[in-house]
Amino acid sequence: MQNITYIRQMLGELRTVADNENADMLCYLIEMAYLEAGDVLAGHRPLRIVKG
């Protein structure tokens, strides 16, 4: 989970960079990934989705 924490931190920084560039779609996509990483860390979502 340490890597997921790192990824979430980097996504937060990337969101700021994208926001400074007025890249709305990138901000949205990065925010979704940021929230997903937070859900994984909180145990609300699995790391993998297994079908079948």
Side-chain angles (χ1 to χ4, degrees):
M1 289 294 174
Q2 188 175 14
N3 287 333
I4 302 298
T5 299
Y6 174 73
I7 290 168
R8 188 168 186 263
Q9 290 170 343
M10 293 301 102
L11 286 166
E13 291 183 31
L14 287 170
R15 182 180 55 198
T16 300
V17 172
D19 189 45
N20 289 340
E21 294 295 322
N22 297 315
D24 295 337
M25 186 57 149
L26 278 176
C27 285
Y28 172 77
L29 294 170
I30 292 167
E31 179 69 18
M32 291 299 100
Y34 179 88
L35 293 172
E36 183 73 15
D39 285 351
V40 168
L41 289 171
H44 298 298
R45 297 210 188 270
L47 285 172
R48 299 190 80 173
I49 298 173
V50 179
K51 293 184 180 184

